[in-house]
Amino acid sequence: MELADLQRRLRDFADERDWNRFHTPKNLAMALAGEAGELVEIFQWLTPEQSRDVMRDARTAEHVRHELADVLAYLLRLADVLDVDLLAASAEKIRLNEAKYPVELARGSAEKYDRLHGKGE
């Protein structure tokens, strides 16, 4: 399934239920944040090692997949309502990040871009 197909399915799902009146940018952004919070909750108190192994437990893995799907669904609905081409926006953001985080300065560093440029000087 393509991203546009999934977006269309979600739009149709909302249309069939007369939910578009509730799918305002504000409401969708809030729902997206809530779902992201539910995803974060799964990992909240895990060690880094436990978080890497989270998909080994079938029940937890299912929970993670469902929360990720909820995040994606609300992101796609928000982009649809705002008429944002997510693939184009993502490509543009990658180009911007490539300029902000040049390989020779950013490799192996978790520093924010505004702290990288003084590195090694």
Side-chain angles (χ1 to χ4, degrees):
M1 177 182 297
E2 298 289 325
L3 199 59
D5 296 329
L6 180 55
Q7 199 164 34
R8 193 173 310 103
R9 264 187 91 180
L10 291 165
R11 184 184 318 121
D12 291 346
F13 183 89
D15 285 342
E16 291 164 356
R17 287 155 183 81
D18 192 25
W19 285 356
N20 285 312
R21 59 186 159 154
F22 308 118
H23 286 191
T24 65
K26 177 198 76 77
N27 287 353
L28 290 167
M30 291 175 69
L32 174 60
E35 293 300 338
E38 290 181 22
L39 178 62
V40 168
E41 184 179 27
I42 297 168
F43 294 92
Q44 186 172 7
W45 302 113
L46 300 181
T47 66
E49 294 76 22
Q50 289 170 325
S51 72
R52 286 186 199 99
D53 293 337
V54 76
M55 299 305 282
R56 290 186 182 173
D57 176 73
R59 188 171 162 210
T60 305
E62 179 181 57
H63 192 188
V64 169
R65 285 192 307 274
H66 289 177
E67 294 308 333
L68 285 169
D70 287 342
V71 168
L72 179 60
Y74 280 117
L75 178 63
L76 289 174
R77 282 297 296 140
L78 181 58
D80 191 31
V81 166
L82 294 175
D83 197 28
V84 171
D85 179 335
L86 282 174
L87 296 178
S90 295
E92 178 184 2
K93 187 62 179 179
I94 290 169
R95 283 191 301 277
L96 292 171
N97 283 339
E98 286 171 339
K100 282 183 184 178
Y101 295 94
V103 172
E104 61 277 3
L105 296 177
R107 182 181 301 277
S109 174
E111 294 287 344
K112 189 174 176 190
Y113 70 91
D114 62 349
R115 299 197 57 165
L116 283 176
H117 296 288
K119 194 175 164 183
E121 293 177 4

